[in-house]
Amino acid sequence: MDAPEKSIEDTVLDAARSCILEHGVRRTTLAEIARRAEVSRPTVYRRWTDTRAVVSSLLTREISALIPSFDATASGRDQIVTAVDQAADRIRIHPLFVKILRSDSDVLATYILHRLGTSQSLIIDTLSSLIVVGQGDSSIRAGDPATLATMLLLMVQSAVQSAEMVSERIPGAEVMHQMAYAVDAYLRPRSA
């Protein structure tokens, strides 16, 4: 059976991924993305205004693909702790994120310092839903789910971005395991 045909968006995002991995974000242009995608420049410009917009869409797609599915039989807290351990480590070693963090970290500065990106909002919404489940099964402490989810995003995002910096002291995978432990402690009800 033939594989389903890729959408124009996926074709362009795949081309952008290839360009970024080879040249970095700063040296990637919409013209080069269009050439690699084998589409016209107007086709790309109709969907994205500039290279940063393409990169934003690409990061959202890549992060969305790394968010694990959840086990409805596990407690809300267990699901979050497992997701943090798995997804954060996947993001930490993902070739695209490694390339951007090492050579174009200023690209992420907007999403670290100034505003939430689409993928960050998706993560907060997913975590908020799981926090509601965990509060319902008494595995997560009381508190506004959106506030708890936002704090989790900040904690995990910081650990993922800084894991390389401390790698001589703590291997990256261990940083992620420790982050999962911290998340578990943060969410645990006070009496548990």
Side-chain angles (χ1 to χ4, degrees), residues 68-95:
S69 56
F70 297 99
D71 176 7
T73 65
S75 75
R77 191 177 79 243
D78 288 344
Q79 289 185 70
I80 291 172
V81 171
T82 299
V84 164
D85 196 20
Q86 293 173 0
D89 201 46
R90 289 178 193 151
I91 292 169
R92 178 187 66 82
I93 62 173
H94 190 285

Side-chain angles (χ1 to χ4, degrees), residues 8 11-12 15 31-41 43-44:
I8 293 292
T11 300
V12 171
E32 176 62 15
I33 292 169
R35 186 188 69 71
R36 284 192 191 206
E38 297 179 349
V39 299
S40 68
R41 280 189 265 177
T43 297
V44 176

Side-chain angles (χ1 to χ4, degrees), residues 156-178:
V156 175
Q157 183 174 275
S158 175
V160 168
Q161 293 164 354
S162 300
E164 178 67 23
M165 178 181 71
V166 297
S167 63
E168 288 184 20
R169 294 174 180 257
I170 308 170
E174 182 60 22
V175 170
M176 296 305 105
H177 292 310
Q178 292 298 320

Side-chain angles (χ1 to χ4, degrees), residues 58-71:
L58 176 61
L59 291 173
T60 298
R61 181 187 77 170
E62 299 291 311
I63 287 175
S64 296
L66 297 174
I67 295 175
S69 56
F70 297 99
D71 176 7

